[in-house]
């Protein structure tokens, strides 16, 4: 099948599960692919919503995530196309959604730059060497701000807001391993598995009483 076929019409998109294979060398694509629930290469808002729910976000946060992420990133991943009111995000072009005022951990090709990742913790993790407190995270975000880059400020704010809200530990710390897992997507997958297991255990318990 020709992947261009689905480019021109969203309605007749075949939505074949597993049609899209993320590029191993592109962690940014894998990060976003977690939310492509039917794995067809396009993330629609309802998929973003389901992805958020799958990692334990409530209805409100998931709705917010779907709205800001899909409105924010749809158009830039569809170069030359008329804006779509369904706000699809096309994963093969996900690097085009990169913005300013970020950490530079993902480079222009969506690769994970280890040194920039290590810099986050070298520069801001003072209270604990392998985690950021809420205020250290804020400090990092402020330092990353580029002049008049309003879109980047807002995008980075949301990215770190979602990260902190969903992945801080019981002491309110953003652990280094977790942050790496967010960049690589494994944090999403692990959380989803964890919640599935919890639900199954609960269901089994109920079956016995
Ligand atoms: C719970 C959900 C999510 C969390 C916690 C999250 C978190 C993050 C974080 C922490 C960054 C790095 C920001 C930085 O370098 O300063 C990032 C970057 C990015 N995320 Fe997500 N994200 C989520 C969902 C999504 C979704 C659904 C998509 C698209 C389908 C997406 C696309 C991107 C893109 C394109 C970047 C690159 C931004 C850049 O480097 O300029 N993310 N995200
Ligand atoms: Ca999809």
């Amino acid at each position: 099948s020709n992947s261009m076929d689905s480019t021109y019409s969203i309605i007749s998109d075949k939505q074949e599960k597993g049609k899209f294979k993320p590029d191993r060398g592109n962690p940014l694509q894998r990060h976003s692919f977690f939310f492509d629930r039917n794995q067809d290469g396009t993330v629609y808002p309802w998929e973003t919503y389901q992805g958020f729910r799958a990692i334990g976000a409530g209805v409100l946060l998931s709705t917010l995530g779907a709205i800001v992420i899909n409105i924010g990133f749809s158009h830039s991943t569809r170069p030359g196309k008329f804006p779509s009111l369904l706000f699809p995000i096309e994963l093969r072009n996900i690097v085009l959604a990169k913005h300013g005022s970020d950490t530079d951990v993902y480079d222009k090709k969506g690769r994970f730059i280890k040194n920039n990742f290590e810099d986050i913790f070298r520069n801001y993790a003072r209270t604990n060497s392998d985690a950021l407190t809420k205020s250290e995270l804020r400090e990092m975000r402020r330092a990353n701000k580029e002049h008049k880059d309003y879109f980047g400020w807002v995008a980075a704010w949301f990215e770190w807001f979602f990260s902190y809200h969903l992945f801080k530990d019981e002491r309110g710390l953003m652990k280094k391993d977790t942050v790496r897992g967010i960049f690589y997507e494994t944090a999403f997958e692990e959380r989803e598995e964890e919640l599935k297991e919890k639900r199954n255990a609960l269901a089994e318990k109920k079956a016995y009483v």
Side-chain angles (χ1 to χ4, degrees):
S1 71
N2 182 350
S3 65
M4 291 297 281
D5 289 347
S6 57
T7 303
Y8 298 102
S9 163
I10 284 145
I11 305 304
S12 72
D13 199 333
K14 291 187 192 68
Q15 306 265 311
E16 258 176 78
K17 170 123 183 154
K19 198 169 74 177
F20 185 83
K21 295 276 181 283
D23 177 354
R24 283 185 156 278
N26 186 344
L28 172 56
Q29 196 175 60
R30 289 179 44 190
H31 167 97
S32 313
F33 181 65
F34 174 80
F35 298 87
D36 185 3
R37 305 310 279 178
N38 64 355
Q39 308 190 336
D40 67 345
T42 307
V43 179
Y44 284 101
W46 51 89
E47 294 180 292
T48 306
Y49 176 88
Q50 288 162 4
F52 267 72
R53 297 289 285 144
I55 55 179
V59 168
L60 234 77
L61 192 72
S62 304
T63 305
L64 182 71
I67 291 172
V68 297
I69 293 171
N70 283 79
I71 290 180
F73 292 161
S74 174
H75 193 53
S76 51
T77 64
R78 307 173 74 248
K81 289 185 200 167
F82 195 78
S84 164
L85 285 175
L86 294 175
F87 297 105
I89 296 172
E90 298 200 0
L91 293 184
R92 65 202 154 90
N93 297 326
I94 194 67
V95 297
L96 300 178
K98 270 189 59 67
H99 50 76
S101 304
D102 63 340
T103 60
D104 285 328
V105 169
Y106 290 131
D107 73 0
K108 296 246 169 328
K109 292 184 169 171
R111 292 174 298 209
F112 179 85
I113 307 303
K114 185 164 188 296
N115 200 42
N116 291 351
F117 174 76
E118 294 296 335
D119 272 345
I120 298 178
F121 294 87
R122 268 197 287 269
N123 295 334
Y124 303 100
R126 280 185 304 272
T127 318
N128 304 81
S129 62
D130 60 351
L132 298 173
T133 64
K134 192 175 184 180
S135 62
E136 288 165 350
L137 187 62
R138 188 187 304 126
E139 210 183 313
M140 177 202 77
R141 241 196 36 252
R142 289 192 175 154
N144 288 343
K145 280 187 171 185
E146 290 158 35
H147 185 60
K148 287 196 172 173
D149 174 29
Y150 306 114
F151 180 85
W153 296 356
V154 172
W157 186 87
F158 273 112
E159 282 156 1
W160 290 107
F161 168 75
F162 293 137
S163 299
Y164 186 76
H165 198 83
L166 291 166
F167 291 102
K168 65 176 184 291
D169 75 0
E170 58 287 344
R171 292 185 302 160
L173 295 173
M174 203 65 236
K175 286 206 189 88
K176 187 173 178 180
D177 285 343
T178 310
V179 177
R180 192 190 293 105
I182 293 171
F183 279 108
Y184 271 110
E185 180 277 328
T186 51
F188 301 146
E189 206 169 315
E190 280 164 16
R191 171 66 61 81
E192 182 176 28
E193 282 311 307
E194 197 182 299
L195 292 178
K196 265 186 200 158
E197 274 164 30
K198 266 192 198 155
R199 266 197 308 274
N200 287 345
L202 207 70
E204 257 170 50
K205 216 168 132 194
K206 277 192 186 144
Y208 280 113
V209 291

